[in-house]
């Protein structure tokens, strides 16, 4: 594999670093530093200095399968019986899933005010090489499908721009990189375009989009680009509110159930929060979520879409015959299934018992996952056996098991907080999906660009915010 860093002198690396930092600061490829009480300073978003080699066939497969995943999320969200079976069994062991499912049931029993729904998803993959297989033939294996608060759409596009800029201005890699093999990601504009479609469907010119945010968000600039693109490309205004603020300032029109924040009508509630237990520190946040969910505003996502994004749904879909319940075209089934890795239940079923015994024997090639989002929740390898010893048979049901995907290792130089580190790295590809359903039929089902996150080989988890991973771009090979 090409090691772009190996051929560079320290002097050349220093030139690249300065150029990268200035590019990042001038283009909003930035995050707030951890300690920043007055909110006036920024630092460069953690990025790789060069694009990372990635097989073009695998990339194309991930792009091609995305509309199938978008449609699948919607179809599952409409299957009450399927959701009921899964969510009822999780509800006895997972309070967070229980609250979300109860909210879903409550709003459904009151009558859904807004039949339309917007999905801004991101399906994440790590590539897998069978023994003896060439790098170019590696296959995508899905890590998870995110249906709420997917991030880095904007910073991803900007990182691709950064790499193309460094390549053009320094000329250091002109013999190693063909510019045609650096695909740009339109994710910086596509998410805004999806939200704008939902806003138009809502049909009120004076309404605004509401981004539901976490208080003190450090990744605010990734979000701000969505606001700026909405205004510039679509003439739509966006306000930012936390769930607590929605509870305090929000009300529903008694006849239409239109959501108002103060005097401002809201067309689309777009969530960049609400996925973690820590997003609901008090009952007030749940009140805010319930108010929005009950309303006429188009939700991105609905609670139903959020529930479809759980790891348990991912595991159940991988069981024989389940995917066929939702996907009728055998070729579509084949393409979706080809992107699955081994997934196993830890429930009371025969398969669950088998998987439990398998993990007790040897858990070195497994990941154990609870129904949580946002990184840092998984249990790896040998730690699984220890964890299993502290769980009752019922408590195990809150988790699933998954085969560890071991991707080929590449090399890169990571730029974080103005410091360079040479590292052996592995990458995770994310593909954004946009899906709008008007209540009768889908009116948009599109791919919305991609993201590459790269982390050092020795870290299990890939969180950019958590400080392990950086944002990267693709060098297709
Ligand atoms: P979350 O919803 O918290 O992001 P993920 O399923 O994406 O949960 O897991 C977090 C990280 O853990 C991933 O980004 C990846 O780095 C690592 N990971 C998860 N599942 C696997 C797997 N099957 N093989 C290898 N690494 C994995
Ligand atoms: Mg993830
Ligand atoms: Mg996730």
């Amino acid at each position: 594999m090409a090691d772009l860093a190996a051929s560079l002198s320290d002097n050349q690396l220093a030139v690249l670093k300065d150029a990268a930092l200035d590019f990042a600061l001038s283009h909003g490829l930035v995050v707030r530093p951890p300690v920043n009480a007055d909110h006036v300073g920024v630092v460069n978003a953690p990025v790789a200095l060069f694009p990372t080699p990635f097989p073009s066939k695998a990339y194309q497969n991930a792009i091609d399968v995305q509309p199938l995943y978008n449609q699948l999320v919607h179809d599952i969200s409409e299957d009450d019986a399927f959701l009921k079976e899964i969510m009822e069994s999780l509800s006895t062991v997972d309070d967070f899933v229980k609250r979300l499912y109860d909210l879903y049931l409550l709003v459904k029993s009151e009558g859904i005010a807004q039949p339309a729904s917007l999905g801004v998803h991101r399906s994440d993959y790590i590539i897998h090489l069978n023994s003896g297989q060439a790098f170019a033939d590696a296959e995508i294996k899905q890590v998870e499908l995110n249906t709420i608060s997917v991030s880095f759409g904007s910073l991803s596009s900007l990182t691709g721009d950064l790499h193309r800029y460094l390549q053009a201005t320094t000329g250091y890699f002109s013999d190693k990189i063909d510019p045609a093999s650096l695909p740009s990601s339109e994710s910086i504009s596509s998410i805004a375009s999806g939200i704008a479609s939902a806003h138009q469907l809502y049909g009120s010119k004076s309404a605004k989009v509401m981004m539901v945010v976490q208080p003190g968000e450090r990744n605010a600039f990734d979000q701000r680009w969505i606001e700026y693109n909405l205004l510039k490309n679509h003439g739509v205004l966006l306000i930012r509110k936390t769930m607590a603020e929605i509870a305090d300032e929000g009300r529903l029109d008694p006849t239409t159930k239109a959501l108002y924040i103060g005097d401002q009508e809201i067309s689309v509630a777009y969530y960049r929060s609400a996925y973690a237990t820590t997003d609901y520190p008090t009952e007030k946040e749940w009140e805010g979520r319930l108010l929005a969910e009950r309303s006429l505003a188009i939700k991105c996502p609905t609670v139903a879409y959020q529930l479809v994004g759980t790891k348990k749904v991912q595991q159940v879909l991988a069981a024989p015959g389940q995917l066929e319940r939702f996907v009728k075209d055998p070729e579509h089934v084949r393409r979706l299934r080809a992107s699955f890795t081994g997934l196993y239940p830890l429930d009371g079923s025969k398969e669950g018992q088998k998987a439990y015994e398998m993990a007790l024997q040897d858990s070195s090639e497994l990941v154990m996952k609870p129904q949580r989002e946002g990184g840092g929740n998984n249990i790896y390898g040998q730690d699984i056996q220890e964890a299993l010893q502290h769980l009752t048979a019922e408590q195990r049901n809150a988790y699933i098991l998954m085969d560890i995907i071991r991707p080929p290792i590449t090399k890169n130089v990571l730029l974080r907080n103005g410091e360079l580190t040479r590292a052996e790295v592995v990458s995770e590809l994310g593909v954004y999906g946009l899906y709008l359903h008007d209540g009768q039929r889908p009116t948009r089902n599109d791919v919305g660009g991609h993201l590459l996150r790269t982390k050092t080989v020795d870290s299990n988890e890939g969180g950019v915010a958590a400080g392990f991973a950086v944002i990267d771009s693709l060098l297709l090979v």
Side-chain angles (χ1 to χ4, degrees):
M1 193 54 49
D3 177 3
L4 296 173
S7 59
L8 292 173
S9 66
D10 286 351
N11 190 36
Q12 285 176 313
L13 274 182
V15 170
L16 281 170
K17 177 177 133 179
D18 284 347
L21 284 175
D22 280 2
F23 185 97
L25 294 177
S26 10
H27 289 80
L29 178 50
V30 291
V31 293
R32 286 193 215 285
V35 182
N36 185 19
D38 52 7
H39 274 205
V40 290
V42 293
V43 291
N44 72 284
V47 290
L49 213 45
F50 323 111
T52 290
F54 197 91
S56 50
K57 259 194 278 181
Y59 167 69
Q60 198 55 51
N61 282 340
I63 298 290
D64 292 345
V65 80
Q66 189 57 40
L68 301 182
Y69 272 118
N70 295 341
Q71 186 62 44
L72 182 60
V73 170
H74 186 81
D75 292 345
I76 297 173
S77 79
E78 299 216 301
D79 191 328
D80 285 341
F82 182 83
L83 282 181
K84 182 172 194 267
E85 194 180 335
I86 294 178
M87 298 308 154
E88 278 186 353
S89 76
L90 284 178
S91 287
T92 59
V93 283
D94 188 319
D95 292 342
F96 185 57
V97 171
K98 178 173 169 27
R99 281 266 354 215
L100 289 172
Y101 185 56
D102 285 349
L103 203 156
Y104 161 85
L105 290 176
L106 174 65
V107 172
K108 204 160 171 97
S109 72
E110 292 173 351
I112 301 279
Q114 177 54 262
S117 46
L118 175 67
V120 174
H121 309 309
R122 198 186 67 222
S123 184
D124 290 336
Y125 306 94
I126 296 177
I127 53 168
H128 168 79
L129 268 181
N130 291 312
S131 64
Q133 212 172 22
F135 183 77
D137 295 324
E139 292 159 19
I140 46 162
K141 294 295 167 197
Q142 187 181 54
V143 174
E144 61 154 350
L145 176 56
N146 293 292
T147 57
I148 184 165
S149 189
V150 303
S151 60
F152 298 123
S154 307
L155 300 190
S156 166
S157 296
L158 293 168
T159 302
D161 293 345
L162 165 71
H163 289 160
R164 276 181 294 275
Y165 164 78
L166 293 177
Q167 139 103 348
T169 54
T170 66
Y172 291 167
F173 327 104
S174 43
D175 55 333
K176 298 195 184 71
I177 298 181
D178 171 5
S181 56
L182 301 177
S184 59
S185 168
E186 72 272 25
S187 45
I188 192 165
S189 55
S190 71
I191 295 174
S193 114
I195 294 171
S197 300
H199 174 83
Q200 270 144 21
L201 177 64
Y202 185 84
S204 161
K205 279 218 157 60
S206 59
K208 290 181 184 167
V209 169
M210 174 174 69
M211 187 185 288
V212 184
V213 296
Q214 295 175 333
E217 173 67 75
R218 287 185 54 212
N219 194 25
F221 304 99
D222 184 55
Q223 302 175 344
R224 286 286 184 189
W225 280 116
I226 294 169
E227 175 186 338
Y228 306 150
N229 275 301
L230 257 181
L231 184 58
K232 195 169 172 193
N233 302 337
H234 308 279
V236 176
L237 288 164
L238 176 149
I239 61 169
R240 296 167 65 88
K241 291 286 163 190
T242 64
M243 286 196 285
E245 286 167 340
I246 298 170
D248 283 338
E249 301 166 29
R251 65 183 169 87
L252 300 190
D253 179 288
T255 15
T256 65
K257 292 198 187 174
L259 174 62
Y260 285 85
I261 301 291
D263 291 335
Q264 180 57 60
E265 185 175 359
I266 301 300
S267 55
V268 181
Y270 168 57
Y271 285 90
R272 290 297 290 260
S273 171
Y275 56 87
T277 53
T278 46
D279 291 329
Y280 304 82
T282 69
E283 282 302 306
K284 182 164 268 184
E285 286 76 17
W286 285 108
E287 256 173 59
R289 180 88 198 256
L290 176 60
L291 192 72
E293 195 66 21
R294 268 182 175 146
S295 78
L296 185 66
I298 298 177
K299 271 73 70 183
C300 177
T302 57
V303 173
Y305 278 16
Q306 184 177 0
L307 291 170
V308 175
T310 52
K311 275 98 185 164
K312 185 66 193 177
V313 168
Q314 181 187 13
Q315 176 265 304
V316 170
L317 279 177
Q322 293 292 336
L323 194 52
E324 288 78 358
R325 196 168 155 168
F326 300 101
V327 186
K328 296 304 165 210
D329 183 332
E331 173 55 17
H332 291 176
V333 171
R334 188 196 64 74
R335 280 161 52 194
L336 287 162
R337 201 174 281 288
S339 69
F340 296 172
T341 188
L343 287 145
Y344 316 92
L346 273 175
D347 55 20
S349 67
K350 215 167 71 199
E351 292 73 27
Q353 187 60 31
K354 235 172 80 184
Y356 172 64
E357 284 161 17
M358 165 184 80
L360 285 186
Q361 280 234 319
D362 180 4
S363 58
S364 56
E365 293 301 307
L366 293 170
V367 188
M368 183 170 146
K369 299 189 182 183
Q371 312 307 310
R372 290 291 176 276
E373 296 298 327
N377 300 299
N378 299 338
I379 302 163
Y380 295 86
Q382 309 304 346
D383 295 345
I384 294 173
Q385 297 185 341
E386 164 78 16
L388 284 174
Q389 278 166 14
H390 299 287
L391 296 173
T392 65
E394 195 189 15
Q395 287 167 335
R396 289 205 292 273
N397 200 11
Y399 298 81
I400 62 144
L401 285 172
M402 186 173 184
D403 286 338
I404 285 195
I405 314 158
R406 300 221 182 260
I409 295 166
T410 55
K411 286 184 178 158
N412 211 317
V413 179
L414 314 184
L415 174 60
R416 173 188 296 286
N417 294 324
E419 300 285 329
L420 294 182
T421 326
R422 285 179 193 260
E424 297 208 306
V425 294
V426 290
S427 298
E428 182 170 338
L429 175 72
V431 176
Y432 296 94
L434 303 173
Y435 186 89
L436 180 61
H437 197 282
D438 68 6
Q440 305 281 328
R441 64 190 71 80
T443 58
R444 277 196 76 162
N445 183 359
D446 301 316
V447 181
H450 63 267
L451 162 73
L452 193 72
R453 280 172 300 171
T454 288
K455 61 173 187 176
T456 52
V457 279
D458 46 26
S459 61
N460 278 326
E461 295 263 341
V464 174
F468 297 114
V470 300
I471 303 167
D472 198 352
S473 81
L474 297 169
L475 168 59
L476 294 180
V477 293

